Amino acid sequence: MLDEKNEPHVFDQAIALAASSRNVYSGTTSDAYRNMVGPFGGITAATVLNAVLKHPELVGEPVSMTLNFAAAVEPGEFEVEALPIRTNRSTQHWQVVQRQGGQVATSATVFCAVRKETWSEQELRAPEVCVPEEAARLDTAGRREWLANYEFRFISGSYDPSNPEEANDSYSLLWIRDNPPRPLDFAALAALGDSFFPRLFTRTQRSFPAGTVSLTLYFHADSLEIARTGTEYILGAARANRAHKSYHDQTAYLWSSDGNLLLSSSQIMYYKV
């Protein structure tokens, strides 16, 4: 997608892949999405998913994906191999591996399907909140590079290391979208699913060495519904259930501005205090 200067959006540049052989794509890390160690995990998730979305044998649309971050992705070139390991009439299972220097950095499974009209219900309602413009925008200046690519408007549960006073819980509620704004699609939604600060940071208002080990994303909307979201803000909520002996979980939800649940995610994170 092009920005106002008629150039590829910074997000699209970061997840760009070129076919190098059957099932294999090549890419290069983006300095714009650097994190504590390696790239922001969400951009890795989007890149891995992009290999499936670009594949000529794709059937249907993403329904779920699980990523295991085996090692930090180093700055520079990498390869992504996307293999359709089982395809039926309306479902498809993928195995995806990201490699650098012949070593596995990220492994993933992706499940795709042709969605059909059927009985539907949404039990998890979006919280009642203010409009995005009434929530203060987080100042990302001087922080990790990847943060500048998002517009965070916290309603509660922000992370401000300049005021390190512990919170009562790890819950965060906020409006978020790409910066500059970019129409939402599956890849961007995948990245947003990992855009929350580690719950330990939110709870303690302090930064520690930390990183996602495993991340699962569930897509609750199809491409048409996602496309209708356009460049609007997405409402996000996240919390942890327990931090214990170097690992804590994190559960998150993303709703469209009209209250439709677009994505839910769960992950386990390593931390060192």
Side-chain angles (χ1 to χ4, degrees), residues 66-69 211-216 250 266-270:
T66 295
L67 299 100
N68 294 305
F69 299 90
T212 302
V213 178
S214 184
L215 168 67
T216 296
Q250 182 167 298
S266 61
Q267 63 179 272
I268 195 76
M269 299 194 71
Y270 164 81

Side-chain angles (χ1 to χ4, degrees), residues 59-264:
V59 172
E61 298 180 340
V63 176
S64 68
M65 67 181 300
T66 295
L67 299 100
N68 294 305
F69 299 90
V73 179
E74 300 293 336
E77 297 180 352
F78 58 81
E79 286 189 341
V80 180
E81 181 180 22
L83 295 173
I85 58 176
R86 180 64 185 261
T87 301
N88 299 318
R89 286 188 300 175
S90 61
T91 62
Q92 190 173 53
H93 296 262
W94 293 80
Q95 179 176 301
V96 189
V97 177
Q98 181 186 37
R99 296 185 178 90
Q100 276 189 317
Q103 298 295 312
V104 174
T106 310
S107 65
T109 56
V110 180
F111 171 67
C112 297
V114 177
R115 290 184 179 266
K116 301 177 181 179
E117 292 296 334
T118 185
W119 182 87
S120 299
E121 182 183 24
Q122 181 177 313
E123 291 193 12
L124 186 63
R125 302 297 178 185
E128 294 290 335
V129 296
C130 65
V131 297
E133 291 74 16
E134 293 179 358
R137 182 172 178 173
L138 181 70
D139 182 5
T140 60
R143 297 195 181 188
R144 302 293 178 186
E145 285 86 349
W146 74 271
L147 294 171
N149 298 301
Y150 291 100
E151 184 178 342
F152 301 91
R153 291 182 177 269
F154 278 90
I155 299 162
S156 64
S158 183
Y159 164 53
D160 182 5
S162 67
N163 183 27
E165 181 177 347
E166 285 201 7
N168 292 326
D169 57 39
S170 66
Y171 184 71
S172 291
L173 185 63
L174 71 155
W175 290 105
I176 184 174
R177 66 177 176 180
D178 285 283
N179 179 44
R182 176 190 181 278
L184 192 66
D185 56 19
F186 279 111
L189 185 58
L192 285 167
D194 191 40
S195 63
F196 300 88
F197 290 113
R199 296 300 85 198
L200 187 66
F201 292 12
T202 303
R203 180 69 172 80
T204 65
Q205 293 296 300
R206 291 187 292 160
S207 175
F208 305 95
T212 302
V213 178
S214 184
L215 168 67
T216 296
L217 304 169
Y218 298 107
F219 300 94
H220 301 294
D222 62 15
S223 58
L224 292 177
E225 183 177 354
I226 292 172
R228 284 196 296 270
T229 301
T231 59
E232 294 179 354
Y233 292 92
I234 302 298
L235 181 64
R239 72 163 65 250
N241 294 304
R242 190 183 189 193
H244 182 62
K245 291 186 175 180
S246 302
Y247 294 90
H248 74 75
D249 71 317
Q250 182 167 298
T251 303
Y253 304 96
L254 293 170
W255 294 269
S256 63
S257 60
D258 56 1
N260 289 327
L261 184 63
L262 301 176
L263 179 138
S264 58

Side-chain angles (χ1 to χ4, degrees), residues 16-33:
L17 295 171
S20 56
S21 62
R22 185 180 181 184
N23 301 324
V24 179
Y25 299 86
S26 60
T28 305
T29 59
S30 169
D31 288 342
Y33 285 89

Side-chain angles (χ1 to χ4, degrees), residues 50-61:
N50 196 31
V52 173
L53 295 173
K54 290 173 64 70
H55 202 288
E57 297 177 33
L58 173 64
V59 172
E61 298 180 340

